[in-house]
Amino acid sequence: MNKWNEIKTAYQVARLGTISAAAEALGVHRATVLRHIDALEEELGEKLFQRHTRGYIPTESGLDLMRVAQATDDQFNQFVGRSKGRSTELTGELIVTSLNIVAPLLMPAIGIFQAQNPKTTVRYLTSDKLFKLEYGEAHIAVRTGPEPNQPDNVVQAFATHPVGMYAHADYVSRKGKPNSIEDIAGHSFLGFENIDSKKGKPQFQVWIENNVPSKNIVFRCTDTNLLELALASGIGIGFMTEQRAKLNPDLVEIFPPNDEWSVRHWLVTHGDLHRSAKVQAFLKILKSKD
């Protein structure tokens, strides 16, 4: 099947989600994009996308095509670079994903990477979504929590955020400060609620469930940013990274960070793209800043 142009078009639609965005990225009319998609689906004999009012969502076959096209595009760009005698010049996109909490660790490396490779574009996606590396949704993911164990991925330890227990000064003035674990029964706590059973619980939440009576957990939410807001509002005692706590002078340390509560981050790349020039260049910068 000689449909590389159509495959490139379908890849852009899968990546960007709409016909118009894909047409703009490719520099063609949207009618061309539609024609390519129709031709490719006819050739393959199956649908690559589900059409919705909010855009084009890849089917399983569409996601598989996206993975193949991403890997092929990266490898082809490397070949072109080598054949022109400029293998050190990187082009195209580098897609990085992490939670918001990791951004301060990654942004300096992103700045250095783009200064060294001005013809590249970095797309930094901050979300708690687990982007599928095997489908080319990202080149590098920083995963937070237990060590990832997907067999096709390359996993490396990246960083650890110490986590302590804090309360707002207003809360302490109203209810006092517990001096030991035995004192926590008289206090209100903030808890994290995990609605995705596939994701592990933060270690600090495991500690709360094991040590704090359920009736004392007066506020629960699914977002660590909301936990921080609740903590800063004086609703109760909660956990926060030491790094973030230092930014709020009104927070009072209840118990100092310990290893049991630490939040660990992991660099994750898919085996097919781990050795690509862009991924290796970015990883080298990150490791040099350890």
Side-chain angles (χ1 to χ4, degrees):
M1 180 177 70
N2 184 21
K3 295 285 184 181
W4 180 235
N5 284 335
E6 288 81 355
I7 291 172
K8 287 196 296 183
T9 299
Y11 167 61
Q12 292 297 333
V13 174
R15 185 175 68 83
L16 298 172
T18 67
I19 295 297
S20 297
E24 182 177 353
L26 293 164
V28 299
H29 194 276
R30 63 190 314 274
T32 302
V33 175
L34 289 168
R35 187 170 65 253
H36 283 183
I37 296 300
D38 290 342
L40 193 55
E41 289 183 334
E42 183 178 355
E43 178 79 19
L44 295 172
E46 57 183 315
K47 291 293 184 181
L48 296 173
F49 299 95
Q50 295 290 338
R51 280 73 166 174
H52 291 274
T53 55
R54 63 181 181 274
Y56 276 49
I57 299 176
T59 62
E60 284 299 317
S61 294
L63 289 171
D64 198 24
L65 179 140
M66 184 178 180
R67 177 186 64 81
V68 172
Q70 172 72 70
T72 304
D73 188 54
D74 281 348
Q75 292 164 3
F76 182 73
N77 286 335
Q78 292 177 56
F79 166 74
V80 171
R82 288 193 300 270
S83 68
K84 292 184 177 180
R86 52 179 179 84
S87 59
T88 59
E89 184 178 39
L90 302 181
T91 60
E93 288 187 337
L94 177 72
I95 307 173
V96 181
T97 178
S98 78
L99 297 177
N100 284 326
I101 192 177
V102 187
L105 300 177
L106 293 183
M107 289 306 296
I110 290 173
I112 294 172
F113 177 83
Q114 292 211 276
Q116 293 178 353
N117 305 284
K119 293 187 178 182
T120 61
T121 298
V122 175
R123 293 177 61 217
Y124 186 14
L125 312 177
T126 54
S127 171
D128 61 357
K129 171 188 173 182
L130 291 180
F131 289 89
K132 296 180 180 180
L133 304 184
E134 67 272 23
Y135 290 131
E137 292 184 352
H139 294 93
I140 300 171
V142 179
R143 300 274 167 81
T144 298
E147 181 176 2
N149 58 4
Q150 293 90 346
D152 293 333
N153 291 339
V154 178
V155 178
Q156 303 172 72
F158 175 47
T160 299
H161 272 124
V163 173
M165 187 183 292
Y166 301 90
H168 194 272
D170 289 346
Y171 175 91
V172 175
S173 68
R174 295 195 319 269
K175 303 192 68 171
K177 176 182 175 183
N179 295 313
S180 66
I181 299 298
E182 289 72 24
D183 294 337
I184 65 177
H187 287 273
S188 301
F189 283 81
L190 313 175
F192 180 80
E193 192 162 308
N194 192 350
I195 59 176
D196 187 346
S197 60
K198 295 180 180 179
K199 299 179 183 178
K201 296 178 182 178
Q203 287 303 305
F204 60 78
Q205 180 61 27
V206 174
W207 186 92
I208 282 185
E209 292 176 0
N210 290 338
N211 292 277
V212 178
S214 180
K215 64 183 178 62
N216 290 68
I217 305 175
V218 301
F219 178 87
R220 300 173 186 267
C221 65
T222 60
D223 188 312
T224 53
N225 289 324
L226 290 179
L227 273 182
E228 291 188 6
L229 288 174
L231 185 58
S233 298
I235 295 175
I237 297 172
F239 288 92
M240 185 181 287
T241 65
E242 186 178 46
Q243 174 196 37
R244 297 281 294 177
K246 287 179 179 179
L247 300 177
N248 189 337
D250 293 327
L251 293 184
V252 177
E253 183 180 85
I254 304 301
F255 297 128
N258 69 50
D259 188 60
E260 182 182 359
W261 301 333
S262 294
V263 175
R264 291 175 172 80
H265 309 289
W266 310 86
L267 290 171
V268 184
T269 54
H270 192 266
D272 289 346
L273 295 177
H274 178 70
R275 288 293 170 189
S276 67
K278 280 184 289 190
V279 169
Q280 285 299 307
F282 189 72
L283 293 178
K284 181 178 180 181
I285 293 170
L286 278 180
K287 293 174 182 178
S288 71
K289 300 184 72 61
D290 289 348

